[in-house]
Amino acid sequence: GFVIVLLAWQLAALAMGVSRTLFPWPSDVVVAAHDLVERGILYAYTKASLWRYLMGVFAGTVLGLLLGLLVSSSRILARTLSPAINFLYAIVDVAWIPLFIIWWGYGLNIILAALIYVVTFPILYNTILGMKSLPKVYTYMARSMGATPMQLLLHVQLPGILPQVLTGFRVGAGFAFRALIFAEMVAAQDGLGYLIFASTAQQQTARTMVGMIAMGAIWLTIDRFYLRPLERASVERWGTVSNQDGGNP
């Protein structure tokens, strides 16, 4: 597959007759990648992006799960907040970033806010959905056996909603990666998003391609080796997880 892509890329570059500065050949991208690796830029920027991504996804996951459990604990609260949750869930993170810049200026705060936002709502939404769909007989049986609220949460509710939570996690993780790149383009001085934006502004399109390829390779690694195995494990242990991810099916 990659060989075909490289061949098509090279043929397109030759057929279009565009300057290699604007439409780099695969060999130009290899040279640019070697330069970025040799100078330590690619490693440093990738490390910065991954660190921001992990912080944002972790914080968004915890916040979304806690809010979901809180909202689900009260029917009145759930009915009152559901319209607002659905409304905010529908607003993409890109729409918030200009406001975040006005409120907090440039820097890490904006990037983390964007990541936490896009991760929180899919997990919040799916946690509420999971709690609604959890058979009440499980709760009744656990209470009849003398389970405390904490035991009920840890041994009945959380295992019961885990498939839905993981679906929300995968959706949020996919959205977060895209949000990370965009936020770094406008609010950071390092990272893969900044590399793509700054290289394009300087017409160093070979470097832009390196950033794009690194971005794709990282997401492929996260999805194939972490998110999908986690989802499969939940399917085998707890039941079916619907395929509503933010990445590839």
Side-chain angles (χ1 to χ4, degrees):
F2 285 110
V3 174
I4 295 175
V5 171
L6 289 174
L7 181 60
W9 179 358
Q10 183 65 59
L11 291 175
L14 293 172
M16 291 177 64
V18 179
S19 169
R20 292 172 67 171
T21 302
L22 301 178
F23 197 138
W25 292 9
S27 57
D28 298 326
V29 176
V30 171
V31 171
H34 180 268
D35 178 61
L36 290 171
V37 170
E38 196 172 54
R39 296 169 61 183
I41 295 175
L42 187 60
Y43 171 77
Y45 283 11
T46 301
K47 181 180 177 182
S49 291
L50 284 176
W51 177 240
R52 292 167 183 147
Y53 178 78
L54 292 175
M55 284 194 296
V57 170
F58 176 78
T61 299
V62 173
L63 182 60
L65 182 60
L66 292 178
L67 288 176
L69 293 173
L70 177 62
V71 172
S72 300
S73 65
S74 168
R75 289 184 179 181
I76 296 176
L77 197 59
R79 290 176 182 175
T80 303
L81 295 180
S82 286
I85 292 171
N86 290 329
F87 175 79
L88 292 172
Y89 189 12
I91 301 177
V92 296
D93 59 289
V94 174
W96 285 104
I97 289 179
L99 289 177
F100 291 162
I101 292 174
I102 292 174
W103 295 338
W104 301 315
Y106 295 92
L108 180 62
N109 289 341
I110 292 178
I111 299 173
L112 290 181
L115 296 182
I116 291 171
Y117 178 84
V118 296
V119 175
T120 295
F121 282 96
I123 294 178
L124 169 60
Y125 181 85
N126 279 274
T127 299
I128 296 173
L129 183 64
M131 292 294 286
K132 284 183 178 179
S133 61
L134 188 67
K136 295 187 182 299
V137 65
Y138 297 161
T139 301
Y140 296 151
M141 290 177 61
R143 285 175 176 169
S144 68
M145 297 174 65
T148 64
M150 183 58 66
Q151 290 174 328
L152 181 64
L153 174 65
L154 295 178
H155 300 291
V156 177
Q157 293 174 335
L158 286 180
I161 67 173
L162 183 60
Q164 287 87 349
V165 172
L166 288 179
T167 298
F169 176 77
R170 195 174 178 207
V171 171
F175 289 165
F177 195 74
R178 300 169 191 176
L180 169 71
I181 300 303
F182 181 81
E184 286 183 338
M185 287 182 179
V186 299
Q189 294 297 315
D190 58 5
L192 293 177
Y194 173 77
L195 174 64
I196 293 170
F197 180 79
S199 298
T200 303
Q202 298 168 10
Q203 293 191 351
Q204 295 178 317
T205 51
R207 283 192 171 194
T208 300
M209 292 287 190
V210 173
M212 294 169 62
I213 292 170
M215 180 180 68
I218 291 171
W219 171 247
L220 188 63
T221 301
I222 292 172
D223 185 57
R224 299 285 181 178
F225 295 102
Y226 293 96
L227 297 183
R228 291 197 179 193
L230 184 63
E231 187 177 69
R232 282 196 297 268
S234 72
V235 170
E236 294 171 359
R237 179 63 179 87
W238 303 108
T240 302
V241 177
S242 59
N243 184 21
Q244 301 175 0
D245 57 271
N248 298 323

